[in-house]
Amino acid sequence: MNEFDIICKNFLDFLDSQKNYSHLTIENYKEDLNFFENYLKKEQIDFKDIIYSDIKGFYNYLETKKYSKNTIARHISALRSFYKYLAFNKIIKSNPFSLATLPKKDKLLPKFLYYNELEEMFNVIPDKTPLDKRNRCILELLYATGVRVSELVNIKLDDINFSDMSIKVLGKGNKERIVYYGSYASFYLEEYLNNSRNLLLKDKTSDYLLINSKGFNMTTRSIELIIKDIITKTSIKSNITPHTIRHTFATHLLNEGCDILSVQELLGHESLKATQIYTHITNDELKNIYLNCHPRNKK
C-alpha cells in the first residue's frame, strides 16, 4: 500500500467515525479517490505537489469522458474534502482545491413512476415462494415509506411499531426519524413475517427485517438487483432504481395535496431545497388544471 492509499484509508475512516457519513457516501468517495489516483499516475503528478493548473487539467479530463455536470461536481467535491483534510493534518502546506469551484449542476427533474406503472410492477411479482413474498414486501415498503435503500436494509424488527404502522429508520448522519406505512404494505409485511422470513433464515437468527436466500441480512446491491429483475418483467423501458421509487413516493404525495414540509420530514431532508425538486406536476395533471382553470375552456 503506497502513501496515497494509506492516507485515503485514514481519510475514509475519518468520514466514518468523525463525520458519520453513510456507507454509500464513503464508497463513492473511495471510488472518486481511486479514479483521481489513476489520473495522477497517468499524468505523472504527485498528489502532494498539484497546483491549480493540474486541477483544471483534471476537470478537462472529466469533460472529455462526457460526464454530466453533476458527476463532475461530485468528483471535485470529494477532492475538495480530501485536500482540506490533507491541509488540516499538515500533510500538504496549502490546499490547491480551496480555489476550485463546482460546475453548475444540471437541473433535471427527478424520474418518477406513474401509478399504473407501479401497479404493473406489483402485479408481475409472483406469490409462490418465500422470496416472492419478501420481494413484494420490499417493493411495498419502498413505495409506502419513501425510505432510502440504505435505510431499508438496516431496518430491524424492533424498529417496527406494528400497532401504529410506523418504522424508526436511521438516516444520513445517523439521524433517526419515523416513517409510516399503510394497509397494503402492512398486509404484505405480515405475509412475509408469518410465511417467509423464518424459512429464509434457515435456523439462523437475525435482528434485521429483510433476509436473503442464505439467511443473512440483505445488502443495498441485492435490493437494486431485485428491482431491476422486476422491471424486466414489465413493459417499462426506462431504468428504474430503488431511488426512483423514493422519487415516486415524494411526487405522488405532493400531487395528492400533501404539504411540502411534511414530505421533507418523511424523506429525512435537512434542507427544504432538497425537497422542492419534487414539486413538479405531471403533464396529465397540468393539462387538467389548465382545462379546469382557463376561462376560455369553460362553457
Side-chain angles (χ1 to χ4, degrees), residues 146-158:
V147 293
R148 302 175 180 92
V149 66
S150 58
E151 295 167 346
L152 180 68
V153 297
N154 284 308
I155 292 173
K156 297 180 180 178
L157 293 177
D158 288 345

Side-chain angles (χ1 to χ4, degrees), residues 113-126 136 139-140 227 229-238 240:
L113 292 158
Y114 290 92
Y115 192 75
N116 64 301
E117 293 175 316
L118 263 177
E119 279 292 300
E120 188 178 359
M121 289 179 67
F122 289 130
N123 291 335
V124 298
I125 303 174
R136 179 62 185 259
L139 187 57
E140 292 283 357
I227 298 302
D229 181 64
I230 291 171
I231 290 299
T232 61
K233 298 170 184 174
T234 71
S235 61
I236 301 169
K237 302 302 180 186
S238 55
I240 303 299

Side-chain angles (χ1 to χ4, degrees), residues 67-298:
Y67 289 149
S68 69
K69 289 180 181 177
N70 292 355
T71 300
I72 293 174
R74 193 197 76 189
H75 277 276
I76 300 300
S77 179
L79 291 171
R80 282 170 64 175
S81 297
F82 178 63
Y83 273 85
K84 183 178 180 181
Y85 170 85
L86 296 182
F88 180 81
N89 288 280
K90 296 183 170 39
I91 298 170
I92 55 175
K93 291 182 179 179
S94 60
N95 180 4
F97 274 88
S98 61
L99 300 175
T101 57
L102 300 180
K104 192 172 183 180
K105 293 184 178 181
D106 298 322
K107 291 185 178 180
L108 301 175
L109 291 178
K111 185 188 296 182
F112 68 96
L113 292 158
Y114 290 92
Y115 192 75
N116 64 301
E117 293 175 316
L118 263 177
E119 279 292 300
E120 188 178 359
M121 289 179 67
F122 289 130
N123 291 335
V124 298
I125 303 174
D127 188 25
K128 298 177 181 178
T129 69
L131 290 176
D132 293 335
K133 295 182 186 299
R134 182 207 62 191
N135 293 349
R136 179 62 185 259
C137 177
I138 287 170
L139 187 57
E140 292 283 357
L141 285 176
L142 282 172
Y143 179 58
T145 63
V147 293
R148 302 175 180 92
V149 66
S150 58
E151 295 167 346
L152 180 68
V153 297
N154 284 308
I155 292 173
K156 297 180 180 178
L157 293 177
D158 288 345
D159 295 326
I160 306 173
N161 186 326
F162 293 95
S163 61
D164 71 352
M165 294 192 293
S166 66
I167 305 173
K168 180 177 67 177
V169 297
L170 192 64
K172 287 185 175 180
N174 285 332
K175 292 185 178 179
E176 290 185 352
R177 73 180 189 282
I178 301 296
V179 297
Y180 300 90
Y181 59 92
S183 56
Y184 279 91
S186 177
F187 175 82
Y188 288 101
L189 175 60
E190 296 283 354
E191 273 280 292
Y192 163 67
L193 290 174
N194 293 334
N195 302 309
S196 301
R197 187 174 180 275
N198 285 338
L199 295 175
L200 293 173
L201 277 171
K202 298 180 173 65
D203 298 323
K204 297 183 180 73
T205 59
S206 175
D207 295 330
Y208 289 92
L209 169 65
L210 297 174
I211 304 300
N212 65 21
S213 59
K214 295 181 180 178
F216 300 104
N217 55 300
M218 298 184 71
T219 64
T220 57
R221 181 58 179 159
S222 61
I223 303 287
E224 290 167 357
L225 291 174
I226 287 168
I227 298 302
K228 186 175 182 179
D229 181 64
I230 291 171
I231 290 299
T232 61
K233 298 170 184 174
T234 71
S235 61
I236 301 169
K237 302 302 180 186
S238 55
N239 180 42
I240 303 299
T241 68
H243 212 69
T244 309
I245 301 172
R246 178 170 160 87
H247 292 328
T248 302
F249 164 85
T251 300
H252 287 186
L253 281 181
L254 289 166
N255 284 346
E256 290 295 322
C258 185
D259 69 276
I260 193 169
L261 291 177
S262 296
V263 175
Q264 177 190 1
E265 187 75 19
L266 290 169
L267 290 173
H269 285 162
E270 284 193 12
S271 166
L272 186 62
K273 186 177 180 181
T275 315
Q276 286 173 332
I277 64 170
Y278 297 107
T279 55
H280 57 276
I281 303 176
T282 65
N283 289 336
D284 288 344
E285 287 167 325
L286 189 61
K287 181 180 177 181
N288 289 334
I289 291 170
Y290 165 74
L291 292 174
N292 289 329
C293 296
H294 196 287
R296 291 289 286 176
N297 292 324
K298 299 174 182 178

